[in-house]
Amino acid sequence: YPDGSFQPFKNVSRAEFLKIALSASKISVNGPFQPTGFPDVHEKSWYAPFVQKAKKEGWITGYVDGTFKPEQAITKVEALKIIGSIQNWKTSQNIAKAPFSDTPLLAWYTPYVTYAKNKNFLEEKGPLFEGNTSITRGEVSEILFRTAITQEKKVTAFSPQLIEKKISSPL
C-alpha cells in the first residue's frame, strides 16, 4: 500500500486478487486486449489489464448477472479456482472423499480445494475449510508462496523443508 504496509489480515478484493495472482505466477498482462464485457469493469482502471487477461484466457467468467464485481472480497474457493486455472493444476473430478467436512463432495470448487490440500498449499489443518469466507492478503500470499516453491524445487507437494534457511555463524 502507499504507506508501505502489507496488511496481511485485510480481505482481498477480486481486482486486487487478480493482480497478485497473475504477478506471482509471472503472467504478462501486456495487450492488446478486447473489452471484458463486464459492465462494472472500467476499461481504463488500474486493474483492467488483469481482468482482461484473465477473461481472455478463460480463468474468470464473472457472475451469472454478467458482472465481475471487482471491489467485492474474493472467497477462498474463488481464489483457489482462479489460481488453479492460472497455474494449470491437474485437478480431478473423481474425488472419493471430501477434503474438509464443510466441502461438499460434488461442489464445483471441491477439485481445487482437494488439489490444494493434497499439495499442502493450504494452512488449514482442522476439519473445516470455510471456503465461502473472504480470503486475506496473507492467506493468498502463503498459497502463492507454497506453489512457487513447489514449482521452483520441482517437487509434487509443499513441505516446510523446501525453504532454505540461511544460518549465519556467530561472530
Side-chain angles (χ1 to χ4, degrees), residues 45-63:
S45 65
W46 66 266
Y47 59 83
F50 302 97
V51 176
Q52 291 166 342
K53 177 67 172 181
K55 175 91 184 277
K56 178 183 176 206
E57 297 297 332
W59 300 327
I60 60 169
T61 57
Y63 288 98

Side-chain angles (χ1 to χ4, degrees), residues 17-145:
F17 173 79
L18 281 181
K19 181 176 195 260
I20 294 168
L22 283 129
S23 297
S25 300
K26 297 181 172 83
I27 305 291
S28 172
V29 294
N30 295 331
F33 292 110
Q34 300 295 321
T36 63
F38 297 127
D40 58 343
V41 171
H42 305 288
E43 302 297 334
K44 301 261 186 229
S45 65
W46 66 266
Y47 59 83
F50 302 97
V51 176
Q52 291 166 342
K53 177 67 172 181
K55 175 91 184 277
K56 178 183 176 206
E57 297 297 332
W59 300 327
I60 60 169
T61 57
Y63 288 98
V64 292
D65 67 357
T67 62
F68 177 67
K69 302 181 184 187
E71 301 304 320
Q72 179 174 295
I74 192 164
T75 66
K76 291 166 133 181
V77 294
E78 289 171 331
L80 285 180
K81 186 264 183 194
I82 295 170
I83 292 171
S85 297
I86 291 169
Q87 296 186 356
N88 200 28
W89 290 356
K90 304 295 183 224
T91 60
S92 173
Q93 298 293 326
N94 193 13
I95 301 167
K97 182 178 183 256
F100 294 95
S101 62
D102 63 347
T103 306
L105 193 57
L106 300 177
W108 63 266
Y109 52 82
T110 300
Y112 299 99
V113 177
T114 301
Y115 184 92
K117 183 177 183 187
N118 289 344
K119 299 294 184 179
N120 200 25
F121 295 159
L122 305 175
E123 295 179 278
E124 286 82 1
K125 300 294 180 205
L128 300 178
F129 181 60
E130 299 177 333
N132 287 318
T133 61
S134 300
I135 195 166
T136 66
R137 293 171 59 85
E139 290 169 325
V140 168
S141 297
E142 184 65 27
I143 293 167
L144 291 169
F145 170 75

Side-chain angles (χ1 to χ4, degrees), residues 142 145 149 153 158-165:
E142 184 65 27
F145 170 75
I149 291 292
K153 302 290 185 176
F158 175 82
S159 72
Q161 291 75 29
L162 295 174
I163 304 168
E164 296 176 354
K165 294 184 180 177

Side-chain angles (χ1 to χ4, degrees), residues 165-169:
K165 294 184 180 177
K166 294 183 179 180
I167 303 171
S168 58
S169 58

